[in-house]
Amino acid sequence: EPLAAADIERLFDALNRELAGENIHGDVYLVGGAVMCLVHAARETTQDLDAWFQPADELRAAAARVAARHALPANWLNDAVKGFLSDRGSFRRYLDLSHLTVYTAEAEYLLAMKCLSARIGEEFHDVDDIQYLLRYLNLTDAASAKAIVEKYYPLERFPQKTLYLLEELLDA
């Protein structure tokens, strides 16, 4: 089942309780669709929460217990995105709980990440998210969008289709 913003916040409460039971503090750095739902209200749901988190093993175990209790897929909170993170990524504190702090990717960084993946297809929201973030950041030309992307990743790392997409969305 897709997760709405209210669902995500309830899951963070449950994750916090799991961590409190172990007397562990965790940090979760959200990217992707969860940020589009929680921070921007740009879409109603996301399928899962893409994040980087610390301490990884303890958070993964706590998330698995939350999944079992709430009949969720085991990967509702996953770190598969960690290979796409930039060491220049910027996050903002979103939620402070007793044993869990949640950070969300800032809009420019999220745009760069969305451009890096730029998956196309009915099941993906990348293009819609990119369009939203371009409007949110008030970007009106591809050169400005590419300049933001280059703050986080070398442009050579981007598929040519992404560069064409930015030109199509902004310079058409």
Side-chain angles (χ1 to χ4, degrees):
E1 290 295 309
L3 300 169
D7 300 322
I8 296 167
E9 294 199 354
R10 279 192 298 273
L11 291 170
F12 283 142
D13 284 333
L15 186 59
N16 182 64
R17 286 190 301 276
E18 288 293 329
L19 293 171
E22 301 286 325
N23 198 27
I24 296 169
H25 185 274
D27 293 313
V28 173
Y29 295 82
L30 281 179
V31 298
V35 179
M36 298 303 292
C37 291
L38 291 170
V39 175
H40 298 285
R43 57 164 125 144
E44 291 188 23
T45 63
T46 187
Q47 292 299 316
D48 58 8
L49 278 62
D50 297 317
W52 175 76
F53 40 84
Q54 289 267 46
D57 291 339
E58 291 85 346
L59 265 159
R60 198 173 287 108
R65 292 190 299 273
V66 169
R69 287 197 180 97
H70 294 269
L72 292 168
N75 69 340
W76 73 272
L77 176 65
N78 70 81
D79 61 356
V81 74
K82 65 186 171 191
F84 294 97
L85 296 174
S86 167
D87 58 355
R88 289 173 272 170
S90 52
F91 292 84
R92 180 168 300 196
R93 190 180 298 257
Y94 175 78
L95 181 65
D96 272 312
L97 300 172
S98 63
H99 288 77
L100 179 67
T101 304
V102 178
Y103 301 86
T104 55
E106 291 191 3
E108 285 189 354
Y109 181 39
L110 190 56
L111 173 64
M113 291 190 79
K114 286 287 181 177
C115 285
L116 186 61
S117 63
R119 298 165 297 182
I120 297 173
E122 295 265 330
E123 69 276 19
F124 300 115
H125 298 276
D126 290 342
V127 175
D128 292 336
D129 292 345
I130 289 168
Q131 288 178 304
Y132 172 86
L133 290 164
L134 291 170
R135 286 190 308 272
Y136 179 83
L137 293 166
N138 204 25
L139 297 172
T140 57
D141 62 276
S144 299
K146 289 176 190 175
I148 286 175
V149 166
E150 283 185 295
K151 287 168 63 174
Y152 302 98
Y153 305 99
L155 215 48
E156 308 82 58
R157 188 168 169 194
F158 279 79
Q160 192 62 44
K161 69 174 181 156
T162 298
L163 303 178
Y164 290 144
L165 175 65
L166 288 174
E167 290 170 5
E168 180 182 318
L169 293 173
L170 292 169
D171 293 337

